[in-house]
């Protein structure tokens, strides 16, 4: 049906006739409108509209209003949802190779991560989603993930022993926390805050952009700045929707997504600069892992790194690590 509407739209445009109704574009994302997701989505809409006028009626569905990230991606595949911005949480269930970016401590810093994603390795990875009925237009960002929990501050792998830590449904992350001795509990985001509140899990891990905008200080005592893994996002549209667009519209959506990704990065830069202090002021105990403490964790991850090399190829991992 959506495809028919989009094709009708294209036909009307080509014939130079005025459209009765703009085409609805639903954009689903996990967090509130005032988060980095909202910043990325609003910029995406603003730039796209600036290029193609009011041919589309963008409707945002923040705060997981369309379901968890897996459900929203499946909605894009079915053509019931037109667009989304999602974390890398469930992406490797669709394109396994993308999991390489989820390897702990792979990226040295933001500059390294952003340059790999914007370069050939990152762009080739986006193209792989087309086989899954998904058009991946640009990378966005959440930041580096940190651990919050209600048991005790984390200083060494021993502090993770048996910790019921919610992870995303992400096999690379799950393996890392299993290797470190934690009890990783994969769970879709919409269930996390109530599970923390009820104590069915002890903690979770997310970047400061998420910790602050989701007010995790209200349900978590300790925040350890582990920076254990970089967390990218992807701006997607449904292939079914995409096929109904003109070339000009496709270009507008693509440019909008790239600008949306940059807006997310700017938001994240600010969250990184101010988030830890904000959480401390709000009552959390905040500690930061030293370089030496991170080295101990990396050493403990050795068996997981061997597994990642087998899964993704040691050469690709090295290429990413060596990138400037
Ligand atoms: O932890 C997650 O599931 C993700 O980081 C979140 C919070 C949904 C944002 O994409």
């Amino acid at each position: 049906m959506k495809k028919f509407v989009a094709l009708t739209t294209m036909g009307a445009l080509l014939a130079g006739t005025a459209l009765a109704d703009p085409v609805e574009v639903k954009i689903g994302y996990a967090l509130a409108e005032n988060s980095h997701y909202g910043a990325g989505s609003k910029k995406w809409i603003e730039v796209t509209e600036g290029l193609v006028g009011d041919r589309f009626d963008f409707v945002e569905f923040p705060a997981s209003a369309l379901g968890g990230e897996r459900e929203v991606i499946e909605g894009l595949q079915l053509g019931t949802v037109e667009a989304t911005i999602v974390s890398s949480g469930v992406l490797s269930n669709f394109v396994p190779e993308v999991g390489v970016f989820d390897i702990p401590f792979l990226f040295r810093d933001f500059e390294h991560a952003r340059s790999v994603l914007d370069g050939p390795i990152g762009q080739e990875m986006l193209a792989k989603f087309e086989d899954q009925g998904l058009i991946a237009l640009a990378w966005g960002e959440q930041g580096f993930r940190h651990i919050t929990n209600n048991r005790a501050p984390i200083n060494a792998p021993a502090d993770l022993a048996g910790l019921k830590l919610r992870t995303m449904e992400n096999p690379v992350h799950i393996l890392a926390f299993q290797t470190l001795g934690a009890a990783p509990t994969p769970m879709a985001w919409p269930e996390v805050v109530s599970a923390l509140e009820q104590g069915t899990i002890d903690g979770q891990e997310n970047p400061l952009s998420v910790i602050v905008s989701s007010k995790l200080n209200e349900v978590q005592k300790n925040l350890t700045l582990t920076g254990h893994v970089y967390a990218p996002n992807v701006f997607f549209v449904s292939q079914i929707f995409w096929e109904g667009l003109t070339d000009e519209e496709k270009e507008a959506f693509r440019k909008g997504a790239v600008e949306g990704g940059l807006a997310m990065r700017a938001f994240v830069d600010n969250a990184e600069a101010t988030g830890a202090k904000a959480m401390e002021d709000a009552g959390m105990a905040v500690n930061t892992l030293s370089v030496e403490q991170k080295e101990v964790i990396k050493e403990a991850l050795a068996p997981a790194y061997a597994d990642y090399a087998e899964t993704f190829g040691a050469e690709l991992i090295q290429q990413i690590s060596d990138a400037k």
Side-chain angles (χ1 to χ4, degrees):
M1 181 62 188
K2 276 271 167 285
K3 191 172 179 182
F4 171 75
V5 173
L7 287 171
T8 312
T9 307
M10 186 172 70
L13 288 170
L14 290 175
T17 47
L19 290 171
D21 291 311
V23 176
E24 187 181 75
V25 180
K26 294 186 281 304
I27 303 184
Y29 50 87
L31 301 186
E33 267 191 273
N34 65 357
S35 68
H36 48 304
Y37 280 85
S41 172
K42 283 177 202 320
K43 180 57 86 177
W44 191 7
I45 296 170
E46 179 197 312
V47 172
T48 309
E49 281 182 340
L51 291 167
V52 292
D54 54 6
R55 290 181 223 172
F56 300 95
D57 179 16
F58 291 93
V59 188
E60 290 177 273
F61 288 85
S64 306
L66 297 177
E69 293 188 320
R70 180 195 290 273
E71 283 165 273
V72 176
I73 295 174
E74 286 167 358
L76 263 72
Q77 289 179 314
L78 293 168
T80 53
V81 180
E82 289 74 27
T84 187
I85 309 170
V86 286
S87 73
S88 63
V90 297
L91 291 185
S92 53
N93 297 298
F94 296 87
V95 171
E97 299 94 306
V98 79
V100 70
F101 298 139
D102 296 318
I103 296 178
F105 302 108
L106 175 70
F107 292 114
R108 293 181 297 277
D109 51 28
F110 280 101
E111 208 188 332
H112 182 203
R114 292 170 183 178
S115 97
V116 170
L117 297 181
D118 294 344
I121 299 176
Q123 297 306 303
E124 279 162 28
M125 203 63 88
L126 292 183
K128 291 186 196 289
F129 284 91
E130 202 159 339
D131 289 345
Q132 295 298 316
L134 300 164
I135 306 297
L137 294 177
W139 290 102
E141 178 180 84
Q142 308 215 78
F144 280 85
R145 299 179 84 88
H146 307 295
I147 299 176
T148 66
N149 84 97
N150 278 335
R151 204 170 71 177
I154 308 298
N155 285 296
D159 299 318
L160 287 165
L163 189 77
K164 275 185 262 156
L165 187 75
R166 178 269 174 175
T167 65
M168 299 194 290
E169 298 161 82
N170 179 311
V172 173
H173 290 187
I174 295 168
L175 176 64
F177 284 108
Q178 269 164 352
T179 307
L180 292 172
T185 311
M187 192 183 280
W189 175 253
E191 298 158 41
V192 175
V193 175
S194 60
L196 289 170
E197 225 158 24
Q198 287 159 17
T200 51
I201 47 173
D202 301 314
Q204 64 84 51
E205 47 84 58
N206 251 304
L208 284 166
S209 58
V210 178
I211 295 168
V212 173
S213 61
S214 303
K215 300 194 180 103
L216 292 190
N217 56 292
E218 292 177 358
V219 287
Q220 293 276 263
K221 289 190 194 125
N222 304 295
L223 162 60
T224 300
L225 300 172
T226 48
H228 54 275
V229 67
Y230 175 76
N233 288 110
V234 179
F235 285 66
F236 283 112
V237 295
S238 155
Q239 192 175 30
I240 294 172
F241 170 71
W242 185 251
E243 281 169 4
L245 299 180
T246 64
D247 287 347
E248 182 205 4
E249 288 165 348
K250 284 180 181 167
E251 194 46 28
F253 271 86
R254 192 180 294 285
K255 280 195 177 138
V258 170
E259 290 294 326
L262 296 178
M264 279 188 111
R265 288 177 182 176
F267 190 109
V268 165
D269 283 341
N270 184 51
E272 290 287 320
T274 59
K277 166 109 181 34
M279 292 295 90
E280 200 162 36
D281 291 348
M284 289 185 96
V286 181
N287 69 307
T288 307
L289 288 189
S290 65
V291 174
E292 295 73 26
Q293 286 173 320
K294 285 189 187 182
E295 280 309 318
V296 172
I297 293 185
K298 283 188 214 171
E299 277 163 30
L301 281 170
Y305 285 129
D307 200 290
Y308 301 144
E310 214 166 288
T311 307
F312 301 110
E315 206 182 310
L316 175 62
I317 296 172
Q318 196 59 50
Q319 211 185 333
I320 296 172
S321 301
D322 292 347
K324 298 285 170 244

